[in-house]
Amino acid sequence: MKKTIALLLSLLCFFLLSACAEDKKISFPPAENISQIEIIESDGKSLKRITQADKISALVEDMKENTKDSGRESVNDQPTNIETYYILEFHLSKSADSTKKFYLYKDKDTCYIEEPYTGIWTLKNEIYDELCH
């Protein structure tokens, strides 16, 4: 009887702790460290470049505010099983690592932004459309 109660309490604690897990937030470089943002199609063709500091700052802030943890993990260098994706490349001016890449794609009418080996977040459709079209 004591073992059953201990097991039930352990399971209850596990479920309570897992329910309280905090959403993982996406981490972009600080806007003041970004010299340009480039959007590249999956075939390597450059789609657009954003170089104005105010537009970079606004875009980074919009993406931070409009992403939500999808709960999915990123386990590859780039998205797999996705026909069309875009590379969101941050060119950094104040870093030894000169670029930081994210991937944008749609899957079943949901837009995602993925940082390789870090996480996958949902992104509002309006921001995806603004960046990729």
Side-chain angles (χ1 to χ4, degrees):
M1 181 71 167
K2 287 183 181 181
K3 287 183 181 180
T4 305
I5 292 173
L7 179 63
L8 288 174
L9 286 174
S10 296
L11 287 172
L12 179 64
C13 288
F14 173 75
F15 286 121
L16 288 174
L17 289 174
S18 64
C20 296
E22 188 174 321
D23 284 343
K24 184 172 33 172
K25 300 289 182 193
I26 196 163
S27 177
F28 294 113
E32 61 270 8
N33 293 350
I34 302 170
S35 59
Q36 86 174 352
I37 297 174
E38 185 174 11
I39 294 94
I40 304 165
E41 295 181 40
S42 53
D43 64 4
K45 180 182 168 195
S46 181
L47 186 64
K48 68 171 74 167
R49 292 174 194 247
I50 302 166
T51 56
Q52 299 88 350
D54 58 332
K55 288 185 180 182
I56 290 172
S57 182
L59 180 59
V60 168
E61 193 59 36
D62 275 352
M63 287 190 295
K64 279 182 184 178
E65 291 176 5
N66 293 293
T67 55
K68 183 178 177 191
D69 186 14
S70 70
R72 296 168 49 190
E73 293 184 31
S74 175
V75 295
N76 294 300
D77 290 331
Q78 61 193 40
T80 56
N81 301 323
I82 302 295
E83 190 173 315
T84 302
Y85 61 86
Y86 300 90
I87 303 165
L88 180 65
E89 197 168 89
F90 292 90
H91 296 269
L92 307 175
S93 57
K94 299 176 182 177
S95 174
D97 184 19
S98 62
T99 60
K100 187 163 184 175
K101 290 183 183 180
F102 293 85
Y103 293 89
L104 300 166
Y105 55 91
K106 259 188 182 176
D107 188 24
K108 299 178 184 168
D109 295 327
T110 302
C111 300
Y112 295 97
I113 183 167
E114 178 173 345
E115 183 178 6
Y117 303 103
T118 302
I120 302 172
W121 294 265
T122 59
L123 179 68
K124 281 199 172 178
N125 289 5
E126 296 82 12
I127 295 173
Y128 177 88
D129 291 340
E130 177 185 334
L131 289 171
C132 302
H133 296 109

